[in-house]
Amino acid sequence: MTGPARFAGRALATLWSNGKARIGLIVIIIIIFIAVLAPVIAPHSPTATSFPPYRGPNAVNWFGTTGNGQDVFSQVIYGSRISLLVCVASGAMATVVAVTLGLIAGYRPGLVDELLSFVTNLALVIPGIPLMIILAAYIQVHSVWTIVLVVGFTSWATGARVIRSQASTLRTREFVTSAVFSGERLPRVVLREILPNMTSLVAGSFMAAATAAVLAEASLEFLGLGNPATVSWGTILYAAQQQNALLTGQWVLILAPGLAIVLLMTSFALINFGVDALSNPRLREKA
């Protein structure tokens, strides 16, 4: 087994040993399972308009139908694909930006640190959701990747601030100084000596960014700033708002995607409880 595989196995075992993180892992695995097997699990096509509109839950349409005659249950199942893709891709993008800027600022004190810290502080004080709305509104192409770019671009600042502080502390540790004096190149010092000691911070940054991305994606789609042709939990809520779902008794059209969004956010939040144990053995629970 290779080094990365061994590390991934130990990390998963550490997360699994934490009770709250275990519940989060189970929930996220179920959601991934549903997203991958959506064509098998969904009883109907999510875009088919062959059913009577505004139907309540029944034997054929478990969650009822939309105003266009689409099966809500099938849309919720297929919607897990887009919503999961956006949160993972946006979280990964925000984490990469946060780690890169945080490491550079923390390891290079002086003008570079001051400049990056100014940019980070500026990004922190700008309200996230209004900035996302402005960016999404001015980008002409409305697609899933537009949402990913907007959410990822606006969700890195907090993680970068935390990683910069930790990198600045680790920079003066003896093992880093020894590596520098031994002639190690800067990329090797950063990637082999500093970054592995920030595993929990990097993982926590990803979990926080992914959690925020779930809500941000749903918010942008709900406001009509996404592609209405795609099926996600956010577009289902947008359709419910456009069709006055509460006035027509289609409460499931709001409850089902809303509950799915809450479950996905909760799963990431629960996994985050076990993230600190990745780099701190004292926090690990006995299995």
Side-chain angles (χ1 to χ4, degrees):
M1 185 179 292
T2 61
R6 286 198 300 269
F7 174 78
R10 289 197 300 267
L12 184 60
T14 300
L15 291 175
W16 190 260
S17 66
N18 183 282
K20 295 177 181 178
R22 187 185 305 124
I23 296 175
L25 285 172
I26 292 173
V27 173
I28 196 67
I29 289 173
I30 292 174
I31 295 176
I32 293 174
F33 178 80
I34 292 174
V36 171
L37 298 180
V40 178
I41 299 174
H44 310 288
S45 170
T47 57
T49 57
S50 55
F51 300 100
Y54 301 112
R55 291 184 68 183
N58 56 79
V60 177
N61 309 111
W62 294 355
F63 289 172
T65 61
T66 67
N68 296 325
Q70 299 163 322
D71 182 60
V72 177
F73 178 75
S74 298
Q75 288 196 332
V76 172
I77 296 297
Y78 272 90
S80 62
R81 289 183 157 189
I82 299 298
S83 297
L84 192 62
L85 171 64
V86 170
C87 79
V88 172
S90 299
M93 177 182 173
T95 302
V96 170
V97 175
V99 170
T100 302
L101 296 183
L103 286 175
I104 294 174
Y107 196 78
R108 288 295 189 186
L111 180 61
V112 174
D113 182 22
E114 291 179 2
L115 179 61
L116 292 179
S117 295
F118 172 77
V119 174
T120 302
N121 293 334
L122 184 63
L124 283 171
V125 299
I126 298 177
I129 293 296
L131 179 60
M132 292 180 192
I133 294 174
I134 293 173
L135 291 176
Y138 276 92
I139 295 177
Q140 298 297 322
V141 180
H142 288 179
S143 67
V144 173
W145 296 109
T146 300
I147 302 296
V148 170
L149 290 175
V150 169
V151 175
F153 179 76
T154 56
S155 305
W156 57 268
T158 301
R161 188 67 174 173
V162 174
I163 291 173
R164 178 261 175 199
S165 299
Q166 185 68 5
S168 179
T169 301
L170 293 174
R171 177 174 55 85
T172 58
R173 296 290 180 87
E174 292 182 357
F175 63 92
V176 176
T177 304
S178 299
V180 173
F181 285 159
S182 66
E184 296 286 356
R185 294 180 179 273
L186 177 59
R188 183 178 177 84
V189 173
V190 173
L191 297 178
R192 297 295 297 273
E193 303 294 340
I194 295 180
L195 188 59
N197 287 279
M198 297 193 299
T199 304
S200 61
L201 291 180
V202 175
S205 177
F206 170 77
M207 294 299 170
T211 303
V214 177
L215 184 60
E217 182 271 337
S219 300
L220 293 177
E221 295 280 10
F222 176 74
L223 294 173
L225 296 175
N227 185 359
T230 61
V231 178
S232 70
W233 295 334
T235 58
I236 297 174
L237 291 174
Y238 173 72
Q241 184 262 342
Q242 291 292 312
Q243 298 169 10
N244 296 319
L246 291 180
L247 295 180
T248 58
Q250 297 297 102
W251 53 271
V252 181
L253 195 58
I254 298 175
L255 179 63
L259 182 60
I261 291 170
V262 171
L263 283 175
L264 185 56
M265 293 180 63
T266 303
S267 67
F268 281 114
L270 290 174
I271 294 173
N272 207 23
F273 279 102
V275 163
D276 287 337
L278 293 177
S279 60
N280 191 346
R282 297 179 180 179
L283 298 178
R284 297 176 187 175
E285 300 177 3
K286 293 183 179 181

